[in-house]
C-alpha cells in the first residue's frame, strides 16, 4: 500500500547561532512590516564557477542557484520534515522504489512554459545524461530507472532499487527544476548562466570572477509552503560580487559598499556582532571536516594507527585556537544538525596517553627524532587539501603539532582543486581533508559504500549492509537504527574517517537586511529577504 512519508524526521536540534539579533529562529532580526524594493549587494568569497545547480555543488554556486530554481519539495531546517513546494503531495510505494508526485497548477518557468509532469521527467532524464558532471544530483538519482507522465500534473519516478533518500533529495536545489530549453543546452552553456528556472529571481548577467546579477521574477506566485510570504520576492534584484580576499570583503561590508558577505573569518566576527551589523550563523549538515583515510595505503591501512590518530587530536583546542564559538567540535561522521546523527563523541575524546599505548602495542617505537618507527619505516602520513575553507591551513597545522606529540608525522600537501581531484582519482593520498553538505544521512552511503565513491578504499562488509538497509526502509525508527550502526562502524570501531570540526556558515549583514534565511542544507534563500532603512 502506498504511503506518504516525510522520511527520518528525528528530534535532533538544528545548529543555529544568531549574533547581534533579537530573533531566536532561523532568520535575521526583523523590525516593522517587510518593504518591497531595492537591490541587495552581497559578496561571495569564491567564484561560483558553474551556475547550474544540477551540475555544481559549490556553496557559492548553490547560493545563487537556489534563487533561480524551485524544487518539488522543501525541507524544514528545524525539524528535517519534508514539506510541499511545486509538489502538493506525494505517495511512495512500500519498497521505496516508486515515488508519485502531484504537482500544483499555475507554476511556470520564466520562458512561460509550464512546470508540469513532462518538465519533471525532462529534468531527471537530463540529469542522468549529465553523468559525472552532475556532482550531487547524480548521486541523488542513483538507480534511477525512469519517470512516467501519468497526467499533466502527476509524475511517477521509479528506481531499480530502494531509494528512501530520494524524497529529501527532491528538496535540494541540485534536483531543482529547469526548463526543457535549458535541458537541451550543453553543460558548458548551462554553467555559464544559460538557465531558465521557475524561481523568484531570473539570471540577468554572469561575469566569471567578477559577479552575478539577478532580477526579480514578475508574477511569481508559487513559493515553498515554508516561505513567510506569497507572491513576488521583495527585492528588486541581487548583485553578487566575487571578493576572494577576506580583508577586502569585510572592509567593504563595514564601509557600507555591500549589504552582506559570506565567510566572515573567525578573527573578524566581533566587528559584525552589533554596531549596525549582524551575524547569521548555521552549522552545515552532512559530513564534517575530517581526515578521510585511504585504507589501501600500508600505514593508514593499519586500524590501530587510525584509532591512535583519532585519540591524539584535541578537537577543543583546534576549534578554540583556529576558529570561534560559532563552530562546533565534530562528534560523529555526521554533523549534529543532520537527521539521524548519532553521538560517537566518546571515541573522539582527546586521549594522548591512550594514543601512545595503541601505538606501543602495535609495534611503533619512538625514533631519535621523536617520530615513531617500525621495521625501519617511519610513522609518516600525508594529507591533501585545498583552501576552499580558509582556516583549513591553521587547523591542519595544529593537528600536525598534536600528532607529533605522540610520534606521528603528518605532512601537509596543499593542492589546487584540479590537483586534488586528480589525487583522489589516483588514490594518491594517505588522508583527504574534506567535508560534504547534505541534510540526509544517505550521504554516508554515497561516500563510504563500496558500490559508490569509496574514497577510503574499503572492502565489502557490515558497513555496506547498514548503508544499504537505511536506504531501503521508510520506517523512520528502523532507518535511524541502521544509520547509527553505520556511524559506529565508521568512527568508533574502525576510524575510517577522523572527524574534527563541523563547518559553519558565518554570514555578515548590515542591520538593514531583514528576512534572509538558511534552508535545510545551510544555503541561503533570498525570497523572503527585504531591505529596511
Amino acid at each position: 500500500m502506498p504511503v506518504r512519508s516525510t522520511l527520518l524526521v528525528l528530534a535532533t536540534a538544528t545548529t543555529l547561532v544568531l549574533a547581534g539579533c533579537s530573533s531566536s529562529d532561523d532568520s535575521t532580526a526583523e523590525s516593522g512590516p517587510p518593504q518591497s524594493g531595492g537591490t541587495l549587494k552581497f559578496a561571495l568569497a569564491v567564484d561560483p564557477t558553474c551556475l547550474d545547480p544540477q551540475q555544481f555543488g559549490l556553496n557559492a554556486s548553490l547560493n545563487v542557484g537556489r534563487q533561480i530554481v524551485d524544487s518539488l519539495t522543501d525541507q524544514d531546517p528545524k525539524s528535517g520534515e519534508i514539506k510541499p513546494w511545486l509538489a502538493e503531495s506525494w505517495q511512495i510505494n512500500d519498497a521505496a522504489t516508486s515515488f508519485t508526485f502531484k504537482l500544483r497548477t499555475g507554476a511556470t518557468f520564466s520562458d512561460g512554459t509550464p512546470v508540469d509532469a513532462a518538465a519533471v521527467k525532462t529534468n531527471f532524464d537530463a540529469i542522468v545524461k549529465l553523468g559525472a558532471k552532475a556532482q550531487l544530483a547524480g548521486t541523488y538519482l542513483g538507480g534511477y530507472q525512469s519517470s512516467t507522465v501519468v497526467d499533466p500534473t502527476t509524475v511517477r519516478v521509479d528506481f531499480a532499487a530502494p531509494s528512501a533518500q530520494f524524497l529529501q533529495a527532491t528538496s535540494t536545489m541540485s534536483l531543482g527544476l529547469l526548463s526543457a530549453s535549458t535541458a537541451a543546452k550543453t553543460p558548458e552553456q548551462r554553467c555559464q548562466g544559460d538557465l531558465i528556472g521557475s524561481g523568484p529571481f531570473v539570471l540577468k548577467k554572469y561575469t566569471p570572477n567578477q559577479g552575478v546579477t539577478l532580477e526579480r521574477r514578475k508574477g511569481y506566485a508559487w513559493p515553498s509552503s515554508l516561505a513567510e510570504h506569497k507572491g513576488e520576492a521583495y527585492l528588486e534584484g541581487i548583485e553578487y560580487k566575487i571578493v576572494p580576499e577576506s580583508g577586502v570583503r569585510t572592509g567593504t561590508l563595514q564601509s557600507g559598499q555591500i549589504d552582506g558577505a559570506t565567510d566572515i573569518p573567525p578573527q573578524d566576527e566581533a566587528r559584525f556582532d552589533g554596531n549596525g551589523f549582524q551575524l547569521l550563523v548555521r552549522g552545515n549538515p552532512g559530513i564534517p571536516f575530517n581526515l578521510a583515510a585511504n585504507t589501501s595505503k600500508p600505514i593508514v591501512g593499519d586500524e590501530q594507527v587510525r584509532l591512535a590518530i583519532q585519540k591524539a587530536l584535541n578537537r577543543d583546542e583546534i576549534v578554540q585556537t583556529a576558529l570561534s564559538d560559532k563552530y562546533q567540535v565534530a562528534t560523529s561522521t555526521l554533523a549534529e544538525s543532520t537527521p539521524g546523527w548519532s553521538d560517537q563523541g566518546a571515541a573522539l575524546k582527546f586521549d594522548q596517553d591512550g594514543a601512545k599505548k595503541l601505538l606501543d602495542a602495535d609495534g611503533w617505537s619512538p625514533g631519535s627524532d621523536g617520530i615513531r618507527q617500525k621495521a625501519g619505516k617511519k610513522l609518516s602520513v600525508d594529507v591533501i587539501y585545498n583552501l576552499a575553507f580558509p582556516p583549513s591551513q591553521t587547523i591542519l597545522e595544529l593537528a600536525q603539532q598534536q600528532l607529533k606529540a605522540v610520534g606521528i608525522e603528518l605532512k601537509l600537501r596543499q593542492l589546487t582543486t584540479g590537483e586534488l581531484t586528480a589525487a583522489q582519482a589516483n588514490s594518491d593520498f594517505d588522508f583527504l581533508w574534506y567535508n560534504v553538505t547534505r541534510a540526509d544521512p544517505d550521504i554516508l552511503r554515497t561516500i563510504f559504500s563500496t558500490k559508490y565513491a569509496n574514497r577510503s578504499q574499503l572492502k565489502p562488509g557490515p558497513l555496506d549492509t547498514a548503508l544499504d538497509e537505511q536506504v531501503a526502509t521508510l520506517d523512520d525508527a528502523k532507518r535511524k537504527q541502521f544509520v547509527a550502526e553505520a556511524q559506529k562502524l565508521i568512527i568508533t570501531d574502525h576510524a575510517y574517517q577522523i572527524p574534527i570540526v563541523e563547518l559553519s556558515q558565518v554570514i555578515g549583514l548590515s542591520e538593514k537586511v531583514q528576512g534572509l534565511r538558511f534552508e535545510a542544507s545551510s544555503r541561503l534563500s533570498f525570497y523572503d529577504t527585504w531591505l529596511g532603512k
Side-chain angles (χ1 to χ4, degrees), residues 8 340 342 441 444 462-463 465-489:
L8 202 69
S342 173
L444 296 178
L463 179 57
T465 301
L467 295 174
D468 288 344
E469 292 285 0
Q470 64 83 24
V471 81
T473 181
L474 294 170
D475 184 300
D476 292 346
K478 288 183 178 178
R479 193 176 183 215
K480 180 180 179 181
Q481 179 182 348
F482 292 127
V483 171
E485 176 63 18
Q487 291 168 83
K488 180 175 181 294
L489 289 166

Side-chain angles (χ1 to χ4, degrees), residues 225-306:
S225 59
L226 293 173
E228 293 293 319
H229 82 287
K230 308 298 180 184
E232 296 179 359
Y234 293 125
L235 295 172
E236 292 177 5
I238 306 171
E239 291 183 4
Y240 297 92
K241 300 178 184 295
I242 315 305
V243 187
E245 173 55 47
S246 63
V248 176
R249 197 166 58 253
T250 54
T252 53
L253 175 57
Q254 195 163 38
S255 67
Q257 297 175 61
I258 57 174
D259 305 305
T262 63
D263 300 271
I264 300 298
Q267 66 270 20
D268 290 331
E269 289 171 359
R271 294 165 59 186
F272 302 103
D273 188 358
N275 303 312
F277 296 95
Q278 51 191 323
L279 289 176
L280 188 64
V281 182
R282 188 177 192 268
N284 282 46
I287 292 179
F289 270 106
N290 69 93
L291 300 173
N294 179 357
T295 62
S296 69
K297 297 294 185 179
I299 294 179
V300 182
D302 184 336
E303 185 170 287
Q304 297 308 302
V305 169
R306 299 196 304 271

Side-chain angles (χ1 to χ4, degrees), residues 7 10 21 36 44 58 63 111 166 183 282 294 407 437 507 519:
L7 297 185
L10 305 175
C21 307
S36 181
L44 300 173
L58 192 69
N63 278 335
D111 62 3
F166 177 64
R282 188 177 192 268
N294 179 357
T437 297
I507 311 297
E519 47 80 73

Side-chain angles (χ1 to χ4, degrees), residues 157-435:
V157 184
D158 293 311
F159 291 84
S163 190
Q165 61 83 34
F166 177 64
L167 184 62
Q168 187 277 335
T170 65
S171 72
T172 67
M173 59 234 64
S174 299
L175 293 187
L177 301 183
L178 295 162
S179 70
S181 62
T182 299
K185 301 291 184 179
T186 67
E188 293 73 23
Q189 288 173 321
R190 294 170 56 166
C191 273
Q192 293 306 302
D194 201 343
L195 301 168
I196 300 294
S198 67
F201 293 91
V202 296
L203 180 64
K204 185 176 181 181
K205 183 181 181 181
Y206 170 42
T207 305
N209 298 310
Q210 293 186 33
V212 184
T213 302
L214 305 183
E215 60 184 14
R216 180 166 57 195
R217 167 86 187 275
K218 296 186 185 303
Y220 182 81
W222 42 89
S224 161
S225 59
L226 293 173
E228 293 293 319
H229 82 287
K230 308 298 180 184
E232 296 179 359
Y234 293 125
L235 295 172
E236 292 177 5
I238 306 171
E239 291 183 4
Y240 297 92
K241 300 178 184 295
I242 315 305
V243 187
E245 173 55 47
S246 63
V248 176
R249 197 166 58 253
T250 54
T252 53
L253 175 57
Q254 195 163 38
S255 67
Q257 297 175 61
I258 57 174
D259 305 305
T262 63
D263 300 271
I264 300 298
Q267 66 270 20
D268 290 331
E269 289 171 359
R271 294 165 59 186
F272 302 103
D273 188 358
N275 303 312
F277 296 95
Q278 51 191 323
L279 289 176
L280 188 64
V281 182
R282 188 177 192 268
N284 282 46
I287 292 179
F289 270 106
N290 69 93
L291 300 173
N294 179 357
T295 62
S296 69
K297 297 294 185 179
I299 294 179
V300 182
D302 184 336
E303 185 170 287
Q304 297 308 302
V305 169
R306 299 196 304 271
L307 290 169
I309 291 173
Q310 192 155 265
K311 288 179 178 293
L313 292 171
N314 186 337
R315 293 160 181 81
D316 288 325
E317 181 183 59
I318 288 173
V319 171
Q320 291 166 10
T321 303
L323 298 167
S324 72
D325 61 2
K326 304 297 186 291
Y327 295 82
Q328 183 170 321
V329 166
T331 53
S332 183
T333 184
L334 291 175
E336 190 173 348
S337 58
T338 315
W341 166 81
S342 173
D343 189 356
Q344 304 295 311
L348 301 175
K349 184 179 179 181
F350 176 51
D351 183 4
Q352 196 174 74
D353 290 339
K356 291 177 180 179
K357 288 178 182 178
L358 283 175
L359 295 173
D360 289 340
D362 200 34
W364 293 97
S365 302
S368 58
D369 60 354
I371 303 302
R372 292 174 181 261
Q373 299 181 6
K374 182 167 72 172
K377 190 173 182 64
K378 293 181 68 173
L379 184 46
S380 178
V381 295
D382 69 18
V383 55
I384 60 173
Y385 67 103
N386 65 16
L387 293 180
F389 179 49
S392 293
Q393 181 76 31
T394 304
I395 291 171
L396 291 174
E397 287 174 352
L398 287 167
Q400 186 180 52
Q401 295 169 18
Q402 293 174 357
L403 293 180
K404 187 176 181 180
V406 300
I408 300 172
E409 180 180 51
L410 179 66
K411 296 179 179 179
L412 309 187
R413 289 172 55 199
Q414 183 182 338
L415 305 177
T416 65
T417 299
E419 291 170 340
L420 197 72
T421 301
Q424 291 180 61
N426 296 324
S427 200
D428 178 23
F429 64 93
D430 292 318
F431 286 103
L432 169 67
W433 173 254
Y434 81 103
N435 84 304

